[in-house]
Amino acid sequence: MPNVIFIDANGKSKTIDCTVGTSLMKSAQLHGISGIYAECGGQKMCATCHVYVAEEFLDTLPEISVDEDEMLEATASDRLPNSRLSCAIIVRPEHENLVVHLPRLQR
């Protein structure tokens, strides 16, 4: 189980164990990470699971799909080059110590 570090907009961090094969969004919800709303349930239809992935991990992620790209244009907080939807990130062993920053706003 890779450890993933979530850092909220105020700089407070929480490290959780994530099951390989589970979405980052689902793992965050199961561990009570505040700021991941996932109103659409992980269907890439709402952008309320927007996160900023630490740059050193970007190459471990799949390419952004057309659906994810469209939703990232509708985020409440600024879209940055490292913006992703956490529902589109499936946890893999290489995500050990993945750092994910949460935006100030999701809705």
Side-chain angles (χ1 to χ4, degrees), residues 15-69:
T15 302
I16 64 171
D17 290 327
C18 297
T19 302
V20 170
T22 303
S23 73
L24 195 57
M25 177 212 78
K26 183 58 80 180
S27 294
Q29 288 181 320
L30 290 171
H31 289 89
I33 299 294
S34 295
I36 301 283
Y37 298 107
E39 291 176 350
C40 72
Q43 301 299 311
K44 297 181 230 168
M45 297 176 66
C46 72
T48 60
C49 68
H50 175 217
V51 295
Y52 302 114
V53 176
E55 291 190 25
E56 62 267 23
F57 287 94
L58 290 175
D59 63 346
T60 70
L61 304 179
E63 289 189 38
I64 295 175
S65 69
V66 172
D67 291 339
E68 182 181 6
D69 191 49

Side-chain angles (χ1 to χ4, degrees), residues 3-16:
N3 288 316
V4 175
I5 303 156
F6 287 86
I7 302 174
D8 70 18
N10 296 317
K12 183 179 175 190
S13 69
K14 182 175 181 180
T15 302
I16 64 171

